[in-house]
Amino acid sequence: MTSFDTSSPQLNVWRAMLALAVVFVMLATTGWTALRTHRESGELQASLDSWKHGSLHGARLPDPGAGPARLTRFFTSLSAQDRARLARRYPLAVGNMNGAPVSLRYRANHIALEQQRAVERTRMHDSRLSAAGQQDAGRRMHRYASLLDPGRQILSFDPEGTGRVAEVFGNLTRAQRISVVVPGVDTDLLSFQKTNRPYTAPVGMAKALYAAERAAAPGTRTAVIAWADYTSPDGLGVDAATGARAAEGSLRLNALLRALPGRAPVSMFCHSYGSVLCGVAAHDMPRRVADIAVAASPGMRVSRAANLGTTARVWAMRDATDWIQDVPYLELGGLGHGADPVAAGFGARVLSARDAQGHAGYFTPGTDSLRNLADIGTGAYDSVECAGGSDACRAGLPATTTAQRA
């Protein structure tokens, strides 16, 4: 639910679906959603299959689905030349391989993006395509060109369907604190970044958070991941009202979290439907995840924060002008996402977001919501501002370290 504003007419669709849940739930949650379940296919799957049958110096390559520790050991055993050779030979496989060195994934995804840019450039002039098809090819080609800009660090990339991508801001391998931004509905390759209203898209969110973290704690090395590496719901339809997309995405998210380099604490920042995904993923997140902060949440598919099954601190915020507050906070037969995370009975630490302005304004520079998120991301817990001017959200928290304040 990244792109909808207070006046979104599709909000009524959401309400109607929940009201009709008793009658239609079996059709909604089995037949229709099953048809749209995402599986690896196309270019990425072809690259993975090629890897599975490949070899290096006569030795078979490890299973690309092996644990990150196994893959890390494999890549560590190789020379720089052999790692580069594998990236050139299997760019999509290596670029999406949890356990491969981060710098190698950046290189592999750069190669994959160059290849896909060439494909779309050709499709732009393919007379067999309709005018709309050629226009779509042009949009994708320009998005790939943008992702190839010098200095961009693409951690994952899949051109299949509407596309998936993740980007890193900062030095991920040297970071003392890592933040992961998980966006909501209508997130795909083309909406990954926006020229207009940039802070409503994953790239703008992550860049704003990274800048705010550096300003809040210049002595702390931080990295922020804009993680759009899941197939998000398309608008406020049935997919957005169920946990199917969240369940699929949670597997991908936790696979990434388990493969992050180093031992730096990780903070999750989950917006709208992204908070549903984080709620589903929480019980399986590695213990290095110190914080899960949700904004504009329709629910986390539990009745209480304690039921998330995580040791992470759970934070929540919602601006008073956010239309999400009018969505029924319930779960009935698979539709709806459960209790309101900012409600007193839920048990989250509720943060101020009075400056956010609407559903998509939480990462806008200068807002108290972004300052609060940055303080969490840098571990400056005694600096966060609680909702309503109280200090309840800071109860029992560790104090900020000198290094973080430096």
Side-chain angles (χ1 to χ4, degrees):
M1 300 170 197
T2 299
S3 60
F4 292 96
D5 294 317
T6 311
S7 59
S8 172
Q10 296 194 41
L11 181 56
N12 290 328
V13 176
W14 178 291
R15 290 169 171 163
M17 285 178 182
L18 290 175
L20 293 170
V22 175
V23 179
F24 296 114
V25 64
M26 293 306 295
L27 289 175
T29 60
T30 57
W32 195 85
T33 55
L35 293 174
R36 299 191 59 197
T37 297
H38 179 88
R39 291 179 174 83
E40 302 290 14
S41 57
E43 299 282 350
L44 175 54
Q45 188 61 56
S47 186
L48 289 168
D49 289 343
S50 181
W51 171 283
K52 289 177 183 177
H53 295 95
S55 62
L56 183 66
H57 303 309
R60 293 289 301 273
L61 298 174
D63 183 348
R70 165 74 179 91
L71 292 170
T72 296
R73 289 193 299 271
F74 167 72
F75 282 105
T76 300
S77 72
L78 302 180
S79 67
Q81 292 80 5
D82 282 341
R83 287 194 291 270
R85 183 176 295 114
L86 291 175
R88 290 192 301 270
R89 192 181 298 171
Y90 314 103
L92 279 172
V94 174
N96 290 274
M97 194 171 291
N98 291 313
V102 168
S103 58
L104 188 66
R105 291 180 66 169
Y106 297 159
R107 184 187 310 178
N109 284 318
H110 189 91
I111 295 169
L113 282 162
E114 288 182 323
Q115 294 174 348
Q116 292 301 313
R117 179 178 59 176
V119 169
E120 298 301 334
R121 184 183 290 118
T122 299
R123 292 182 68 244
M124 285 174 61
H125 306 288
D126 189 340
S127 60
R128 295 170 297 180
L129 295 179
S130 65
Q134 291 176 336
Q135 187 177 44
D136 179 69
R139 286 196 296 265
R140 292 175 75 94
M141 191 275 288
H142 288 298
R143 170 61 71 235
Y144 296 148
S146 174
L147 293 171
L148 284 165
D149 283 347
R152 298 196 73 166
Q153 302 176 134
I154 306 305
L155 186 64
S156 60
F157 165 62
D158 180 3
E160 183 68 18
T162 57
R164 299 189 309 233
V165 63
E167 182 173 8
V168 175
F169 299 90
N171 190 322
L172 190 58
T173 58
R174 297 185 65 246
Q176 295 170 299
R177 304 278 311 195
I178 297 172
S179 298
V180 182
V181 175
V182 182
V185 305
D186 286 340
T187 297
D188 56 28
L189 186 73
L190 295 180
S191 63
F192 185 56
Q193 64 185 96
K194 298 178 182 178
T195 301
N196 296 321
R197 303 176 67 235
Y199 305 113
T200 67
V203 167
M205 291 176 176
K207 288 177 71 173
L209 181 60
Y210 181 56
E213 288 181 349
R214 296 182 70 188
T220 301
R221 296 191 303 272
T222 61
V224 179
I225 302 173
W227 189 82
D229 193 23
Y230 81 108
T231 303
S232 74
D234 181 12
L236 296 184
V238 175
D239 270 353
T242 73
R245 293 297 185 201
E248 295 169 12
S250 70
L251 300 178
R252 304 185 66 83
L253 178 60
N254 280 327
L256 168 73
L257 294 176
R258 288 191 287 269
L260 288 175
R263 299 182 178 179
V266 177
S267 296
M268 307 299 303
F269 298 100
C270 318
H271 179 253
S272 200
Y273 189 84
S275 69
V276 181
L277 193 160
C278 289
V280 173
H283 75 280
D284 203 30
M285 286 181 178
R287 292 183 65 86
R288 68 187 291 187
V289 175
D291 302 281
I292 302 173
V294 301
S297 177
M300 302 179 74
R301 300 196 72 80
V302 292
S303 59
R304 298 170 59 245
N307 296 339
L308 290 169
T310 178
T311 58
R313 288 172 285 269
V314 180
W315 309 81
M317 62 169 64
R318 186 176 65 217
D319 178 69
T321 64
D322 190 340
W323 58 258
I324 201 73
Q325 64 189 310
D326 296 323
V327 170
Y329 283 94
L330 54 84
E331 189 279 326
L332 182 60
L335 290 179
H337 302 302
D340 182 354
V342 303
F346 188 79
R349 300 173 181 272
V350 183
L351 297 159
S352 174
R354 63 179 180 276
D355 300 337
Q357 297 302 308
H359 187 66
Y362 294 86
F363 289 82
T364 302
T367 57
D368 58 340
S369 53
L370 181 61
R371 286 192 296 272
N372 274 328
L373 298 177
D375 284 337
I376 292 169
T378 56
Y381 302 116
D382 58 351
S383 297
V384 299
E385 184 180 355
C386 305
S390 73
D391 59 0
C393 71
R394 295 191 298 271
L397 291 175
T400 308
T401 66
T402 302
Q404 289 163 342
R405 288 182 182 270

